[in-house]
Amino acid sequence: MPGWWGRRYDAGMLSMVVAPWGNEPVVLRNADVLHDAASTMKVAVLAAVHRSGIDLDMRIPVVNEFRSVTGGSYGNSPEWDSDPLPWRRIGGLASVRWLADRMVTHSSNLATNLCLAQVGPAAVAQVWLRAGVTADASPRGIEDYAGRDVGVHNRVSARDLVRLLESLEPEVLALLEHNVHRADIAAGLPPGTRLAGKNGWFPGLRHSAAVIHPADAAPYVLAVCYSGPLANGCAVDDPAARLLARVSAGVWDRRHALTGRA
């Protein structure tokens, strides 16, 4: 593929999709290659919670024991969680609304599994189906390693993430504007640029997908998935995050031309 987006990244697999909001993609690079979903699957859990009809202000026990897809149980590790606040409520209660918020604004693993336990994997699978994604992108909870070991994986493509964002209700999408982790796509934009998105990171991968609202151009959606050795698993100081920021900056520089055909 010609152009700046066609560069080779021999240190890993880079996938990306750029689409004017509500329109067909104009840039596709390895768009359907599957990557481990990491925390991007939390967006589907968020949508399932809001579509479930449960009382969002209902207070539920904050525990760290969840049912594995293998039938056993598992728990989360505080060391791998980017949000300490839910852990301080272990043994107490928290509202579903608060947990869902921490899940996407601070990428809490513990809050994710608590929300997933409320709605169930089938409801999350329906979110992906409604978005037009045929693969079950989040069949197991965060850190269900027993499930992973028997071959149950959470996987997404860059195209999947674009479809997911496009399928969200405006009020659900608006919740993603409060994501505090801004080291990748957001870092490639001018300060103060409005965007709604979710990212995910782990040693060996860094993904981010967002709807971006320039003040001087039509909104567009960008999804970038990277799997490879550049990703060190750090929330901020991550070479892969800087790679995604450069991709984001390149798209931003061409924002006025995104209605054209790539």
Side-chain angles (χ1 to χ4, degrees):
M1 181 184 293
W4 64 274
W5 54 80
R7 295 178 193 156
R8 293 188 60 190
Y9 291 93
D10 293 326
M13 170 58 69
L14 180 73
S15 304
M16 66 179 293
V17 173
V18 183
W21 183 243
N23 292 280
E24 291 299 310
V26 296
V27 176
L28 295 163
R29 175 194 171 96
N30 301 319
D32 297 308
V33 172
L34 293 178
H35 300 254
D36 188 298
S39 290
T40 61
M41 58 84 74
K42 296 171 182 178
V43 176
V45 178
L46 177 70
V49 168
H50 280 265
R51 294 172 188 171
S52 68
I54 65 176
D55 180 3
L56 296 180
D57 294 316
M58 175 177 62
R59 292 166 62 82
I60 63 173
V62 179
V63 298
N64 186 28
E65 184 175 357
F66 308 102
R67 184 173 180 80
S68 167
V69 295
T70 63
S73 62
Y74 71 98
N76 289 123
S77 301
E79 296 80 9
W80 285 108
D81 205 329
S82 59
D83 185 9
L85 288 190
W87 290 92
R88 298 174 188 171
R89 300 198 181 190
I90 290 283
L93 300 172
S95 73
V96 175
R97 186 187 307 277
W98 185 81
L99 291 168
D101 177 76
R102 302 302 297 190
M103 173 174 63
V104 293
T105 61
H106 291 72
S107 207
S108 168
N109 292 340
L110 181 62
T112 300
N113 284 338
L114 288 164
C115 289
L116 181 60
Q118 288 297 305
V119 297
V124 181
Q126 282 299 314
V127 170
W128 290 107
L129 287 174
R130 177 170 167 176
V133 177
T134 55
D136 191 353
S138 42
R140 63 173 176 84
I142 301 287
E143 295 182 68
D144 182 359
Y145 297 129
R148 180 196 63 187
D149 291 344
V150 298
V152 180
H153 300 286
N154 296 339
R155 287 181 173 148
V156 295
S157 68
R159 196 194 303 265
D160 292 341
L161 293 176
V162 169
R163 288 172 172 165
L164 178 61
L165 291 179
E166 291 178 339
S167 73
L168 299 178
E169 297 82 357
E171 62 272 19
V172 177
L173 189 61
L175 297 173
L176 302 181
E177 294 190 26
H178 305 292
N179 182 358
V180 302
H181 296 286
R182 305 176 71 84
D184 37 62
I185 283 180
L189 305 174
T193 301
R194 178 187 168 201
L195 79 160
K198 183 72 187 79
N199 35 20
W201 58 91
F202 197 77
L205 61 88
R206 184 89 191 199
H207 312 325
S208 192
V211 183
I212 298 150
H213 296 267
D216 61 349
Y220 62 92
V221 58
L222 169 63
V224 190
C225 298
Y226 170 81
S227 296
L230 289 179
N232 63 14
C234 294
V236 177
D237 189 16
D238 181 3
R242 293 193 288 273
L243 169 61
L244 267 61
R246 292 198 298 274
V247 171
S248 178
V251 176
W252 174 267
D253 288 344
R254 293 155 179 83
R255 64 193 180 279
H256 298 292
L258 293 182
T259 55
R261 184 181 180 89

